[in-house]
Amino acid sequence: MDKIKFSHEEENPLEIVRTLVLEMLKEGDWEQFPRSSEMFSNKVEFIGNASVARNKFLVLVHEVLWELIIQRIITPGSNLANPDLPFFRVTDYGQQVLAGGEFIPHDPTSYLEKFNQTIGVPDPVAFEYLKESLRCFNSGCYLAATMMLGISSERIFLALCDVLFNSLSNATERKSFSKILDGISMLAKFEFVRKKIELLMSKKGNNFPKIQLTNLLGIFEFIRVQRNDIGHPQDNLQVPARDDVYVNLRIFPQYCKTVEEVKKYLNANKV
């Protein structure tokens, strides 16, 4: 693996350092706040004013580690013999996060890069709401993160509705779905799409993509219900738990990928 080049004039230094820190935590054998940049010498090449770059890099490593303490991915103390800082250990939740694979919400830069690689060119509005959801999640604002992700999910679903409408060949279906689309009921839109997709999946020889219906409609409905539960003022508001929002952000890319596969088919075929 090529070394990361890090300059004292780096434009997005914190994002670079955060990604590297998470990668190194995955590798294990790291349990102390570093006092120098020496431990990163096999992964980072300091360029420009190397001395300034090293100092800047080390400060940012400490900043990221403190972020991860606040997010409870790591906790002070490595063991009973070393119970305090500068020692630390990865928490049980942290182990879950680090083993999470590609889409790690705690690393928004890599998450969004992989999202773009997976989806291609995402809807710009949905993408902005997704970015805001990640920002809220990493700030511990789980209520806001759920709202933002729900809006992003809805935007993507409505785009699917538009493509489906344009692909309908039956005049009666088009008239019926047009009336539904003009209405405010998201449930009616959901039911029409669900029935049509299930019908397409049941037909043989139409080359409809082999998808899991749960990845398409199940995830959307799950996020939609959560968003609706918190989207109105109420006395007994249930704030989403961190783990619930984490899971939603982890499965969201698969939902978007499945939508894109279905849209591609609908754009090329009348149904």
Side-chain angles (χ1 to χ4, degrees):
M1 179 179 176
D2 294 336
K3 288 186 178 183
I4 296 170
K5 290 179 169 47
F6 188 89
S7 166
H8 68 288
E9 297 178 334
E10 199 68 52
E11 289 186 4
N12 298 299
L14 187 61
E15 286 74 14
I16 294 172
V17 173
R18 183 186 292 111
T19 298
L20 180 61
V21 166
L22 287 169
E23 286 179 358
M24 291 184 66
L25 286 173
K26 286 181 185 180
E27 296 171 2
D29 298 325
W30 183 14
E31 58 179 24
Q32 188 172 352
F33 273 61
R35 295 181 179 274
S36 75
S37 60
E38 183 62 30
M39 67 175 290
F40 305 97
S41 60
N42 63 332
K43 294 182 179 293
V44 183
E45 178 184 349
F46 298 100
I47 60 176
N49 189 325
S51 178
V52 174
R54 286 190 185 90
N55 289 336
K56 182 175 183 178
F57 181 87
L58 190 60
V59 167
L60 291 174
V61 168
H62 282 225
E63 184 175 331
V64 169
L65 289 174
W66 274 107
E67 281 184 3
L68 298 180
I69 288 175
I70 293 170
Q71 294 168 5
R72 300 191 67 182
I73 291 176
I74 63 174
T75 190
S78 59
N79 50 46
L80 293 177
N82 299 288
D84 301 310
L85 294 175
F87 298 97
F88 66 82
R89 64 177 177 82
V90 177
T91 64
D92 289 344
Y93 172 69
Q95 296 287 359
Q96 176 188 342
V97 169
L98 296 175
E102 287 187 318
F103 294 98
I104 300 178
H106 295 279
D107 184 5
T109 301
S110 292
Y111 181 108
L112 293 171
E113 286 177 356
K114 289 183 174 67
F115 185 85
N116 283 331
Q117 292 168 6
T118 301
I119 305 305
V121 182
D123 179 278
V125 175
F127 190 66
E128 285 301 317
Y129 277 109
L130 174 59
K131 288 198 293 185
E132 187 66 15
S133 180
L134 288 166
R135 280 192 287 265
C136 292
F137 173 78
N138 284 298
S139 298
C141 302
Y142 305 128
L143 196 67
T146 300
M147 283 295 296
M148 295 299 101
L149 190 64
I151 296 171
S152 181
S153 174
E154 183 175 313
R155 171 79 177 193
I156 289 167
F157 177 75
L158 291 175
L160 173 62
C161 289
D162 288 342
V163 174
L164 174 58
F165 175 78
N166 290 329
S167 74
L168 293 175
S169 58
N170 183 283
T172 302
E173 274 193 322
R174 286 178 64 87
K175 183 177 180 180
S176 174
F177 196 33
S178 177
K179 186 177 294 186
I180 291 173
L181 291 177
D182 288 339
I184 63 173
S185 173
M186 187 60 65
L187 182 59
K189 298 179 181 70
F190 175 84
E191 285 300 315
F192 186 97
V193 173
R194 180 184 63 79
K195 291 175 182 178
K196 192 64 179 179
I197 296 298
E198 286 179 342
L199 179 62
L200 291 170
M201 292 176 68
S202 68
K203 290 183 177 180
K204 296 182 179 179
N206 62 359
N207 294 318
F208 189 78
K210 295 180 180 180
I211 63 169
Q212 294 290 330
L213 197 59
T214 302
N215 288 340
L216 179 63
L217 300 180
I219 294 174
F220 166 73
E221 179 67 359
F222 177 67
I223 295 174
R224 183 189 72 83
V225 169
Q226 283 196 325
R227 177 204 165 188
N228 286 350
D229 284 346
I230 64 176
H232 306 284
Q234 52 189 283
D235 292 332
N236 299 313
L237 179 64
Q238 297 294 315
V239 177
R242 174 199 61 191
D243 289 6
D244 292 336
V245 186
Y246 171 80
V247 169
N248 287 346
L249 285 165
R250 291 270 292 120
I251 63 178
F252 187 72
Q254 183 59 55
Y255 159 67
C256 297
K257 180 181 179 181
T258 306
V259 168
E260 290 303 313
E261 291 174 357
V262 174
K263 284 169 60 179
K264 182 178 180 180
Y265 175 85
L266 294 174
N267 280 322
N269 298 274
K270 288 294 183 180
V271 297

